[in-house]
Amino acid sequence: MQSDDLEMETLNAVDDWGDYAPVIAELGQQEQAPFEEPPKEDKTQLQGDSVAGLLDVAFTLVEQVTSSLSGVKFRFDDEGKTAVIDAAKPVFTKNSGELLELFGDYIDEATLIIAVFGLVWGSKAQLAALKQEKREREHAKETAIVEAA
């Protein structure tokens, strides 16, 4: 056994790293901070943002439908739209958003789908209006040629 002790003393004498036992003991005594979960996103804020997006898309669709039906380019006042959206957020949040519950956790996806359908419908309506304009111009051009002859 003495040879083992002698070997340990020889190894310790050659060890340039020093004795870490006190440092390890101190680390073991330090209080460990409890595991903290990352902060969860504020559901109220997310609902408000979802409502704002849905209402913005709804206003855009109403503008497109009104423009299509009237034949005149129609737009809501931007300040008025913003005021309505800001006023609607707390109402939806306060009433736990029955509309939001209808869509569940997929309100943002539903808003995207509605927006895409609105864009397609609006583009189709605009294309029909442009075709009608082109027909009217061609008809006016043909009429002008006939009258000139």
Side-chain angles (χ1 to χ4, degrees), residues 23-84:
V23 174
I24 293 171
E26 184 180 332
L27 288 173
Q29 292 175 357
Q30 285 182 353
E31 182 177 282
Q32 293 183 357
F35 175 73
E36 294 180 18
E37 291 185 29
K40 294 182 180 178
E41 295 182 63
D42 182 14
K43 191 169 185 170
T44 303
Q45 177 65 32
L46 290 176
Q47 284 180 345
D49 292 343
S50 297
V51 167
L54 185 62
L55 287 175
D56 192 40
V57 167
F59 281 130
T60 302
L61 287 175
V62 169
E63 290 171 346
Q64 290 176 348
V65 169
T66 304
S67 294
S68 177
L69 294 175
S70 68
V72 177
K73 189 117 177 141
F74 172 76
R75 294 281 177 242
F76 285 113
D77 175 55
D78 286 334
E79 290 177 12
K81 281 187 350 184
T82 302
V84 170

